Amino acid sequence: MSFESNKVEETPDRTKRWWLIVAGLFVVMLLGLWLMGPVKPSRSEVTASHILIKADLNNPAEKARALERLKELKQQLDGIKSPDELKKTFAELAEKYSEDPYSATKGGDLGPAKKGTYQGDFEEYVWKGPIGQVSGIIRTGFGYHLVLITKRYLTDVDKHLREQEEKIYGESGAPDAPTGQ
């Protein structure tokens, strides 16, 4: 009897090969995601900044004070042509003068919002107003606002509805555009 007949044949280690396959698939998956582009929100979204001056709307003195302050701020912003400079100056003024404790520390930035988040004329303006321009003075139950729309994404359905409104009502998109006061 020979001892050589009890030898066990070693199988080659394929661990490295499997890890290379897994890494390759991961790279292909990342490349595919990159080629697809950014993920679009499933709902329409708007990103805006605002400067709020609070006022008791039943108190004429407070109302006048708030309107005067916002008129002064609007005048400071009106002469700025560069979009980047406008956004920067608006943020500085919001930090200094806005009475919204949530957004003032962030330069007035309200973050992304879906439809129905805001009140009345404010809501209407953020969805229909021009991007990158400062609004007129807008009144809500909180007081008076200046608004700067920074981004707006509309779903295909909302784009179609907007086109239909423009056909019916013209450029403003509504029978009575908000006056802001």
Side-chain angles (χ1 to χ4, degrees):
M1 191 157 157
S2 160
F3 289 105
E4 291 180 26
S5 65
N6 291 335
K7 282 187 181 176
V8 177
E9 199 173 302
E10 286 188 34
T11 57
D13 185 13
R14 294 191 174 109
T15 307
K16 287 183 183 179
R17 183 181 301 165
W18 281 110
W19 279 113
L20 285 172
I21 290 170
V22 168
L25 289 172
F26 184 73
V27 168
V28 168
M29 183 182 70
L30 286 177
L31 182 62
L33 288 172
W34 179 74
L35 290 173
M36 286 174 35
V39 177
K40 295 179 182 175
S42 61
R43 296 185 212 165
S44 294
E45 279 186 353
V46 66
T47 303
S49 298
H50 79 136
I51 299 172
L52 166 67
I53 303 298
K54 293 180 180 179
D56 177 358
L57 303 178
N58 296 320
N59 183 333
E62 276 192 43
K63 190 174 166 182
R65 175 198 58 85
L67 289 171
E68 188 59 37
R69 171 58 54 93
L70 284 176
K71 286 177 186 175
E72 291 169 4
L73 296 173
K74 175 91 166 112
Q75 285 178 343
Q76 291 181 41
L77 296 164
D78 279 345
I80 302 171
K81 300 294 181 209
S82 163
D84 292 334
E85 184 65 27
L86 178 62
K87 192 173 178 180
K88 179 182 173 219
T89 305
F90 191 94
E92 290 169 355
L93 293 174
E95 284 180 26
K96 189 172 182 178
Y97 296 106
S98 183
E99 296 173 0
D100 177 357
Y102 168 76
S103 69
T105 58
K106 298 185 286 183
D109 185 10
L110 295 167
K114 61 184 181 177
K115 285 191 172 191
T117 300
Y118 304 118
Q119 294 182 358
D121 288 346
F122 193 103
E123 173 81 6
E124 189 169 334
Y125 182 79
V126 296
W127 290 104
K128 295 181 180 178
I131 296 171
Q133 293 181 18
V134 178
S135 70
I137 297 171
I138 298 173
R139 184 182 80 182
T140 68
F142 298 104
Y144 295 93
H145 309 257
L146 290 179
V147 180
L148 176 65
I149 303 166
T150 51
K151 283 189 265 181
R152 184 185 304 129
Y153 170 77
L154 296 175
T155 61
D156 292 337
V157 171
D158 284 335
K159 284 179 191 174
H160 179 72
L161 290 172
R162 187 174 191 168
E163 289 169 4
Q164 296 306 310
E165 283 180 356
E166 287 175 0
K167 283 181 185 176
I168 294 169
Y169 299 116
E171 204 54 43
S172 72
D176 296 313
T179 59
Q181 295 186 21

